[in-house]
Amino acid sequence: MRLFRRVIPHPILTLLLTLTWVLLASSWTLNSLVFGFLLGLVIPFLTQPYWPEQARMKKPHKIAAYILIVLWDIVMANITVARIVLFKPNSRRQPRWVTVPLDLKTPEAITALAGTITMTPGTVSADLSAEGHALLVHCLDAEDPEAVRDEIKQRYERRLMEIFE
Amino acid sequence: MSLFLIAALPFLGAVFPALLIRAGRNASASAAGLTTFLAFTGLMLHIPAVFNGEVVQARFDWLPGLGLNANFFLDGLGFLFATLILGIGLLIILYARFYLSREDPMGQFYTYLLLFQGAMVGIVLSDNILLLLVFWELTSLSSFLLIGYWKHLPEGRQGARMALAVTGSGGLAMIAGMLILGHIVGSYDLSVILQNKDLIQASPLYLPALILILLGCFTKSAQFPFHFWLPHAMAAPTPVSAYLHSATMVKAGLFLMARLWPVLAGTPEWFYIVATTGLITMLLGAVIALFKDDLKALLAFSTVSHLGLITMLLGFGTKIAAVAAVFHIINHATFKAALFMSAGIVDHEAHTRDIKRLGGLRHLMPVTFTIVLVASLSMAGIPPFNGFLSKEMMLEETVHTLWGGSHYLVPGLALIAALFSAAYSFRFIVHVFLGPKRSDYPAQPHDPGPGMWLGPAFLITLVILIGLFSAKLAGPMVAVAAGAVTGGNDLPYYSLKLWHGLTPALYMSIAAVLGGALLLKLHRPLQAAWEAAPRPEAKAIFDRLMHGLTKLAQLITDGLHNGAITRYAFVMMLFIIGISYYAYQGGTLAAATREVQNVGPIPLIAWFCLVIATGAVVAKHRQRQLSLVLIGVVGLVVSMGFNYLSAPDLALTQLSVEVVTMVLLLLALNFMPKESPIKAPNWVRARDGAIAVIGGLGASALIYALMLRDFAMPSISEYHLANSYKGGGGTNVVNVILVDFRGYDTFGEIIVLGIAALVIFALTEAVLGTRVRAYLLNRKPDMPQAGDAHPMMMVVATRVMMPLALMVAAYIFFRGHNLPGGGFIAGLIAAIALLMQYMASGFTWASERQRVFYHGIIGSGVLIAAATGLGAWFNDMPFLTSDYGYLYWPPLEKFEWATAALFDLGVFLAVVGAVLLALESLARFAWQPGMSTEHAMDINPARDDAPQQNSDEV
Amino acid sequence: MITEYLIAGFLIMAGIFGFVGSFGLIKLNDPMSRLHAPTKATTLGVGGVLLASMVHGIAVEGHLSLHEVMITLFLFLTAPVTALFIAKVHLHRHETLKSLPPAGEDGIWATHDVEPEGEEEKQSSA
Amino acid sequence: MNHFLIAPVVLPALVAPFIIMVVRHHLDLTRIFSLACSVVLVAVSLVQAAQAADGSVQVYELGAWPAPFGIVLVLDRLSALMVLLTSVLALVVNLYVVGSGWDKRGANFHALFQFQLMGIQGAFLTGDAFNLFVFFEVLLIASYGLMIHAGGTRRFQAGVQYVVYNLLGSTLFLFALGTLYSVTGTLNMADLAVRVAELPAEDTALLRVGAVMLLLVFAIKAAVIPLHFWLPASYANAPLPIAALFAIMTKVGAYAILRMYTLVFGPDLAITAGLSGAWLLPAALVTLGIGAIGILGSYRIGRLVAFGAITSMGTLLTAIALFTPEGTSAALYYLLHSTLATAFLFLVVDLVSERQGIEIVAKKPMPQSGLIASLFFAGAIAMAGMPPLSGFLGKLLVLDAARESSHAWWIWTVVLLGSLVSILGLARAGSLLFWKSHAMAAEGSDDASQGGEQRSQEDLAEDAARNRAALPFVACFALLAGLVLLTAFAGPATKYAAATAEQLYDPQIYIDAVLGGASK
Amino acid sequence: MITYAALFAFVCFALAVLMNLWKILSAEEIADRILALDSMFINALALMVLYGLALGTEIFFEAALIIAMLGFVSTVAYARFILRGNIIE
Amino acid sequence: MELLVASAVGVLTAAGIYLILRRQTFPVILGLSLLTYGVNIFLFATGRLAVNAPPILNKYEEIAYTDPLPQALVLTAIVISFGMTAVVVMIALAAYLSSRDDRIDMPDHPEDEGENA
Ligand code: NA
Ligand code: NA
């Protein structure tokens, strides 16, 4: 195992990069895999100094579920937002700021949460608090900011917590 | 002795004093004297030949392509002048050794003097008019140095520049004249030219050539109206005046007139120009000389007058006049050099040359007095001295000369001149040496040591001897010299003797002497009248002219080159457009051969975006950040356009270059004003707008016309398409062109990038090495700053992206040979991936993590590219010859490899290094002490748990 | 046939959301709200096109092209960063501590967390 | 395959990155490598000149791609001459720079210097029009770096102008190349010549535009009026030894004009008739005049020499614009002379400015005043075209070559008057700098500190050390020796020039060599 | 059918680009201009992929990939410029 | 299509020229950028325009390719002009920082006229 660690210090990244190569090359050949793998070994070595305190995921397998949920939310929210943008007069729309207190600690997790919020239409992560314990979210049209905050915490933060911390 | 050696010896002699500067005054004087003596001896060895009427020659083809040959010949005329130059030169060298003071740099003096001597010898020995020109100009230069020898005297500096200006311009005119002369004859060799009188005088170019050559002669010989420089040259040390300005250099013009006399003289043009100029000069010089109180000025104007005399004689165009001219040249050289040296002695001893402050010196300086007495009487034309003889001949000739139908004009004026000449000669004797001894000399005068008076004493001996035994002593010399001047041995009868009977000339001589005495008697009232009379002061005019010229030059130069690049660029645009239009309308344009292609709506919209954004950049260019945003639109449209029009490689390059450029511009803009406040006046903007529109229309029309026409011949790119795969091993033809067909261009291109980075680095060092650094360190942001310099999301996102981006870079790199991509784009992507780290986590944090120096990356990139190119040499193939093939390692499939990829790797590295070095250098400007942080992101709650080491949070 | 419908559906969806995104940019009347609009274009707008393209690649041209996945991945990584920065520009220029909701225990939002003038001096002189 | 041919390009291209990678922080090593490279370059270019002397045209096909499809290097008499001149000049300037310590005053000097050489040599050797552009850019960008070497406000300001103006030139170059490619379908210069000659006579307008734009590009480089405006400020504000090296840069423009307008758009070509002669000659004459006036009207020594450079370009281009073998032959001789003379005077003027500042005003006498004055005098003689140095011969050659021209009178008048004005200007400057300073010394006035930069004690100590250095004088004397040799061996030199001109006006040899005789 | 759908998408994205342009020119806030430019990049990306789809070629993909990957860098740079003045600190 | 490209070249060139004639360094740099776009498109268009005919060789079928050579030239030109832009920006910045003035004109008035005659 130690040998494995020494040769492949970033197994997930290496795997991801190998996959990336294959995706990019659109070729599922042995050559491609080998080559992608080699690059997957070299590149993390090169970039390692720039990502010193790399977070270790606790339950990486839960990522897939999370992604699916988010994708689904994106589709649904898009439709809502499209309706707001196209048909709802500005005067009846209720833009709101929402403060989301954070339980997440690791930068990667917080970033994932903020990204998720932004990518789901209707909400945008606008800022972190000075010490990183709260997230400022803007809602395009929210009658009940509390509900938005709770949904974020329930639906996304909890899951990210599982994955990362 | 070879003529080459005679001509070269003075120049060799010039070297020694320069080298012997430290060896002392005697050493340099001896060296100068010795070489001159050697040359003189060498010259004398040719006496038998010359007096036999032979012409001694030495020939060397120096610049045959031009007809400039180092050909020398020695005939009577040359011999006469060379003898004067070297002989008097020896005397001057001796004289100067004692004349110059201890403070004067002796070596320098002799160097200049011998340079001059060499140039003069060169002139008189040249058998090639271009060679003669070389020496001619050299005399101007060396005399410039000699006149300005006393650098601390403003008169010296100004006199030197005046002499150079006048004689220099004459010399330049003469160049043209000589070239024309050579053109008429078809050769620049004097011996050839002198055989072609009829050809020359029949040529329509005769007159221009004559005028131009005479300009040279007149300026050099101080003929009216160019005479004014000579008196000002008297600021030179007296040996110089004696040598250059009486005996030799001023005679160069006379020499040349004499030299070319056989082919130029004898025409009415010659007569009227030369004789008239001479006559006026003679008269004017004599008159002015009488009223000069400075001894040297008196002598200078007297020299002007005598030069005029000789010029006039040459101008008469008759052989007998030429004989007289030659004779007077000899005589004048002897008595005038003696007089100059004497004046120098007076100056040296009494510390003044002002006649008004002198008088009664005959008791104090008997030797000098004797010398001056004899020489002055000779100059006045008193028998039995030599001056009398030649002046008599001159007067005789004037009597026979008809000017514009008048018998009396020339002799009349000549008589007046002779009268004044006698008067100033007497004045030198009477006002300086006669009269009562004075008590107020600036220094107590007495005769100097023999070193100073031996020379002039020798000369007055000649004056007397030639006067008494003219036929014996001077006769042969005059005969051969005059024979050379008149171009043959058939000289008319003349006799050199004191008594010719009661001729008109004798009466005129008597009248001149008596009148001269009378004038001297009347000197005081005359001087008063002279000084009261308004007359143009040549120096003032010249100074004004030069000053005006300099001012004008400064005005023109500053006016044209005022540092306004806006105007330079405007002129450039105007010129380019004008000339291009001129070229266009001079040709014909055939009908278009291609159809216009249809346009879909999307390209139309893209075009619309481009045009609007471009217009907006122009309209809003004063808001700088907005302009950058708008440029971003332009860049996007251009990239999309490339992509749409089948140029994916270009699109990729443009896109990535765009990003880097934008970062760069923003980095720079941070330090610069955010607005451009200066607003040009409306008319300027209208003018600029007009030229811009015309330029734009021109470019449009040109490319439109080109696009609608087919190549007359197939493009070479057909070969590239056909051979890209076969010969280059790649299917992306653009890439194969870049790394293979035209890899050399790419090699140059990466070097351009590398250099750019080096320049930027060097510049950063230079700027940060100055007080600018202090300014930057204390600089306050000019806009309010937000908190959170390194936002967490940015940091995390870029961390995730970096390996992915590098992967993409690798992908783009490896596929480049076959599909869009390649080393350059890959390099940019990699660079941007790193750049993101800089932007996200800050300069200090990121550069601490940079383990390889960018200089090294650039260098290795260039070296790898070069080494790949050089690798071909081992196969004895040219630089950058590529190779490709396949590798097969089971169980893998075969790998394709190409050396071009290695070359591309060089490109990749150079790009990465260059981009990052440039950006890093720029970022260094912004570095301030408070900025360093050990953390990549300002906010990180994960640090809450970690033990607090250093709360450096901003 | 189904794939054709699928592709067409994706394309139409993409068109609608792409349009809505940029339309919102014009229509919405407050700057923060306008920031929401382009997220649509990035997600379902481009996403639709990419999906269509991917399906088209598989169905019509018969090979699996996964570039689209990479593009999506990058968009999802970068778009939130873009949005965050633009939001911060807005906060910086138009919002104050008062106009925003409280920032919880930290008291202030990061964008407004600027050290006072004097402190900087101290640091640089230290 | 004569790999020697590319050595003048590859050698500096290898040495420069080596310097920045390996010995960047060791000044002595950097100098050794840089100087060694310069010496080897001289040797290489001597061999090349010898090879080209027999009149053969050697071709080096890069990447083994046949012309016109790949890029070729071509060595004929002209390019060999230019390469040799560049190498010699570079060696001398390098010696001077090392000796005077100029290279220490900023970063990356020697790397940029070598890259600059690479660019210049590449431009002289290439046989491809676009590649010429690339090497123009290489030499330009290196020159930007060298121009602002050691920094300073005025230098930066002048640098901006220099770069901007040249970027406009580069843009025009691309317009020209695009047009030519679009019309002819080729970039190889020999191939261009063949294709242009065969172009249908009824479709000439576009080619003419391309041709003339190209000429204008080169005219910018050659500082032809009214495209010369970049030069005075750039040269005068550059470090003066660099300005000395730049003496060759204007010649690149002259070279390119000569090359393209004898090979591709030759004087007999009907299509482009009247394009080059019509305005180039008058423009060259005006250039000469403005340059001469500038010499007289300059307040600073660097600027004075810069205008001297413009004057000499005017003379040179006058000779080139005759487009006759005699004119070209004269031009080539004058080119050799004026490059050395301009560089020489720039170096001398640097000696002066290092000691007493840049203004042309009388100050206290400087150290080594006598020696420097002599050098200045020699430089002025060379610059003004006075005997005994080669300038006079060059001027005579130019005037002689102009005899048959219908503009002979104009040419003679301007050249001679230009000389006069130059002489006046140089005499004025010399008299102020070297003679009047003695008067100042005598009067004991003290204004030496005026005009120059304020200097600390250390600087002064360094100055003193620098003043004792012999190497700068060696460099000056080397250039002077070059001028003397050029004078003494004017016969052989003009013979080579005449042979070069003859080769240029018989472009078929060049074309056959490049295209393998296939064009016949 | 795909053709029509593609045409529809083309029209939508083309209009979107025009609206972006309008916003870039007319916005009062620099933040809006940056946002509009960013949207324009995204819409251009979509247009390119659409073209690739319509023409059945893959050569448009790389440009799309580059935009997706690098487009945000200039947007961030613009924004950072306003926020901090210095974009690398 | 040709007209669009040609007019784009013209517009970019005209805008570039206009901005280059401004009096401060920054607009001049903007002008150079626009001019660079203009000339790059010009050079590109000398290979004539073609849609969907990139010069990527297809091993399987005979198809039309656009002229690859101008593309290669433009690529080189883009890279070079990038380097040039970087340098000119830096020198302009250095000039500005040294003099705190970003006017591009450089008035050159002598402090001392010296001896004239
Ligand atoms: Na490529
Ligand atoms: Na650019």
Side-chain angles (χ1 to χ4, degrees), chain A residues 42-98:
Chain A
V42 173
I43 287 175
F45 172 75
L46 291 174
T47 60
Q48 200 272 332
Y50 296 93
W51 198 349
E53 56 276 337
Q54 212 176 99
R56 299 254 168 252
M57 285 185 233
K58 299 263 164 54
K59 296 176 180 166
H61 56 272
K62 294 214 169 178
I63 294 176
Y66 181 77
I67 289 176
L68 283 178
I69 289 172
V70 172
L71 285 179
W72 175 252
D73 289 354
I74 286 174
V75 174
M76 295 334 278
N78 253 309
I79 295 166
T80 324
V81 168
R83 276 221 300 273
I84 297 170
V85 169
L86 286 173
F87 307 117
K88 198 161 185 174
N90 281 327
S91 54
R92 274 179 45 212
R93 198 165 50 79
Q94 291 174 298
R96 287 277 190 278
W97 288 107
V98 178

